[in-house]
Amino acid sequence: MRVLVAEDHRVLARTIATGLRREAMAVDLAHTGDAAERMCLLTDYDVLVLDRDLPVLSGDEVCRRLRELGDPPRILLLTAAGGLTDKVYGLTALGADDYLAKPFDFGELVARIRTLSRRAPKAPPVVLRHEGIVLDRTRHEVSVDGRPLDLTPKEFAVLHLLMEARGAAVPHDELVRTVWDQNLDPRTSAIRAVVSRLRRKLGDGLITAEQGQGYRLCD
C-alpha cells in the first residue's frame, strides 16, 4: 500500500511516516498543499493523509481539486479542527472519505488507513494462496504447507505483491514504487536483501529472478 502524508509539521510528519513504514506501508511526504496535489497527480496513491491547514494551498482546496479528478486516492483529513461541524463539513462539502482529529491514537490512524484502502473497487481477496503459501492480508500472517512464518513488514509486503501477480514477474521499479517509497536509492541492494531472506524462509525454488523483468513466484 502506498500512502502520501501531507503535513506541514515536519516532526509530526516524520513520526507518522516512520510508524506507517513499520506497518509495511510505502510512505511519501509533502509539506505544502501544492506539493501534495502535484504528487497525487504524478503517483497513484492508495490513501492520502491530508492536514487541512497546509501552507501555499490549503488542505481543503487540495481535497476539492482532487475530488474533481474523478479517481483520486482515498482521502483522510487529519486536523486539529475536531468539532462535529468541522467533521460534517470535511466529509460532505469537501468530499473526504474519513476524518480524524488531532491529537489521535496512532493505532486508530493505521486502522483507518487500512479500512480506506479496502474500500477501493475490486479489492483483492483477503487470503491469497500459491503453491502451499497462504497469506492473510487482514491478520498479516503467512504459512507454508501449514508452517507459520515470521516475516518482517517489508518481507510480507514483497511476498504480498508477488502473490498478487499470480506467477507473473514483478519489475524492480514496481517493488520500489509499491513497497518502498521516494527515499529509496534505486541503486541500493535493499530489494535483493529482502528477496534473499524471503527465499530462505519460504524454501528454495519458490522465488526466481527473471533477467531484466524482476521477480516472480514459481509454479
Side-chain angles (χ1 to χ4, degrees):
M1 182 196 315
R2 188 153 191 182
V3 178
L4 175 62
V5 176
E7 168 63 60
D8 65 327
H9 191 295
R10 292 175 182 264
V11 174
L12 177 59
R14 288 196 299 268
T15 300
I16 292 173
T18 298
L20 295 181
R21 287 166 184 154
R22 288 172 178 165
E23 297 291 331
M25 301 181 196
V27 185
D28 294 336
L29 295 177
H31 301 300
T32 63
D34 60 326
E37 180 187 31
R38 182 172 61 254
M39 292 171 73
C40 285
L41 293 175
L42 294 173
T43 303
D44 186 18
Y45 291 103
D46 298 294
V47 178
L48 166 61
V49 179
L50 180 64
D51 182 18
R52 290 184 63 183
D53 189 21
L54 289 174
V56 184
L57 189 67
S58 73
D60 289 7
E61 187 61 25
V62 173
C63 192
R64 289 193 190 96
R65 292 188 183 191
L66 291 178
R67 281 291 168 229
E68 293 174 357
L69 296 177
D71 188 25
R74 300 292 177 174
I75 300 175
L76 187 158
L77 291 178
L78 185 64
T79 172
L84 179 59
T85 301
D86 297 307
K87 293 179 181 179
V88 171
Y89 180 78
L91 294 170
T92 56
L94 298 181
D97 297 287
D98 202 355
Y99 197 106
L100 184 60
K102 301 173 183 176
F104 59 91
D105 179 81
F106 185 75
E108 182 179 2
L109 174 63
V110 171
R112 286 173 180 263
I113 290 173
R114 285 186 171 148
T115 297
L116 287 178
S117 72
R118 290 197 294 269
R119 291 182 189 173
K122 298 181 181 179
V126 171
V127 178
L128 302 176
R129 293 179 171 82
H130 182 93
E131 296 295 318
I133 307 171
V134 178
L135 182 147
D136 189 315
R137 297 172 57 241
T138 302
R139 297 182 178 181
H140 275 241
E141 295 177 349
V142 176
S143 64
V144 177
D145 297 329
R147 173 176 56 90
L149 293 186
D150 182 18
L151 301 184
T152 67
K154 289 299 186 191
E155 291 166 358
F156 182 93
V158 169
L159 179 60
H160 182 196
L161 194 60
L162 292 175
M163 293 187 71
E164 282 190 326
R166 299 181 181 277
V170 178
H172 181 275
D173 60 348
E174 185 175 350
L175 284 169
V176 172
R177 184 175 63 253
T178 306
V179 179
W180 276 266
D181 52 51
Q182 63 188 8
N183 296 312
L184 182 71
D185 185 337
R187 297 167 297 180
T188 185
S189 61
I191 294 177
R192 289 195 299 274
V194 170
V195 172
S196 178
R197 293 198 303 268
L198 258 181
R199 281 173 167 157
R200 291 197 299 269
K201 292 181 179 182
L202 292 173
D204 292 337
L206 284 177
I207 299 178
T208 185
E210 300 289 329
Q211 185 66 32
Q213 298 183 43
Y215 298 97
R216 71 176 181 87
L217 288 175
C218 300
D219 297 327

